[in-house]
Amino acid sequence: MAATAEKIDKFELDGMDPEKIKEELLSRYPTKVARKRAKQIIINKVEGCEVPVIQSNVRTIPGLMSQRGCCYAGCKGVVLGPTRDIVNITHGPIGCGFYSWLTRRNQTDPSTTPDGHNFMTYCFSTDMQDQEIIFGGEKKLKQAIQEAYDNFKPKAIAVFSTCPVGLIGDDVHSVCREMKDKLGINIFGFSCEGYKGVSQSAGHHIANNQIFKHVIGNDDTVKEGDFKINLLGEYNIGGDAFEIERIFKKCGITQVASFSGNSSIDAFANSHTADLNLIMCHRSINYVAEMMEKKYGLPWIKVNFIGAEATAKSLRKIAAYFEDQKLTDKVEEVIVQEMPQVLKSIAEIKPRTEGKRAMLFVGGSRAHHYQELFKELGMITLSAGYEFGHRDDYEGRKVLPSIKVDADSRNIEELSVKADPEKFNPRKSPENLQKLKEKGLEFSSYEGMMPEMKNGVLVIDDITQYETEKLIELFKPDIFCAGIKEKYTIQKYGIPMKQLHSYDYGGPYAGFKGALNFYKDIDRMVNSRVWGYLKAPWQIKPELAATYAWE
Ligand code: CFM
């Protein structure tokens, strides 16, 4: 439970009053827009276990420039994209497939599966044309599945619907069923049309549902190994999952499946044989964890491998769950081995980074997790927010019962899941679970971002480009974290900008070794003098001037 948070110092806010800053951010909007945005711009105030309500997971107001992506991006790009041996076919115009092709920097190691399949480097698309939009695209989809099968003989093919598919009414699911019967491999489709829901978050949910229905539980082989876990919501951007796997191996923890960084379809099929689910990114995959618990009896705990301290804490949680002295000792031994380098690096870098100020506006989990790494460098998070997080990601899962389900959320199917008559196997007795809870291990729980932030900081949901620029003008932070769409305007303001989606070609940033990489990169960025020399075009010539051609 969060204690009352520390208040942010006035000097850290440049002596500004957070209420005034909020007013300033809203002042240029029309009244109705300002009223809506006011509910998404919140001054943090943690009192005991109370945090303020923040409106989130609602439609972006048309006309405001958002950071968000679409439902298809969340389904195909985020959740299924990192799986190497499924042929992922985009049913739609070529742009959708092309734009989601390798743009997310998730790495994979095909040598770890016997057939060595890796289709991630390909871009499969039905390349819909006017012809299909008018007369239907099912025939072309069948041909595409056949062609992919003939060329690659994959174990599985997945089909992802883009906006026009929903608009013209192609039935991708019946095509998939037909081709599954014909070819004898697992083929399944996703109704993840870009316009569904209000952001990529809808696509996560749709992806979770279909993997759960079509893949998880298909293979009951119990693999060898002790302390079996699945790692959920880690997508191996910049090699993060490799570093986490290294640590697990060193500790003697067996990873059955990862959803879905460095993953394979066979591992998904087998994942219900693990004994514990670990959730990294709560937003994108909590649905799978919840459904697996109901159907197979695997509990889940929240972990975070971003930050060295957070990594150590997460390993200790795993050890506590398995209640095994040998594992506990091993985990402590690994922490003792890994920490000295981390502490050495912090001691060297912190004097240069201490007191510097960061802002993070990223996705649905990193804006929270990366605050850990900044804290380790003595840096202050001045403001943060998610693109598409829900209230539970901000305020903690305790608010779930009070979240109103609106029409956009109702559009996304909620699977009704029951205990499997044969495969349900509660991993711990209720008394045992209770005992572990009393010892401080929390199950099915995520506290969210706000309880860990200082009082007085601004938490902003679905930040707009205008608000981003205003914040930069007001605070001149030492570093701003967001994505590629924001990168260059921010840099033109003379502020170093770190992409926390792709890591700007860097990484890994997870685990112990990842923390070392992050410290180094941040040190280099916030202490580079080059930014101070930069003059944005509008600073040199503040107004655009033009003359009429006929003058
Ligand atoms: Fe989860 Fe992600 Fe994120 Fe996400 Fe994403 Fe991503 Fe992200 Mo970009 S699954 S919510 S939809 S941690 S792609 S790996 S970086 S916005 S903060």
Side-chain angles (χ1 to χ4, degrees), residues 151-167:
N151 283 322
F152 297 99
K153 298 284 177 326
K155 285 192 190 111
I157 296 178
V159 175
F160 300 87
S161 307
T162 57
C163 296
V165 173
L167 297 175

Side-chain angles (χ1 to χ4, degrees), residues 144 159 262 358 397 402 514 543:
V159 175
N262 193 28
R397 277 178 75 92
S402 64
E543 271 174 63

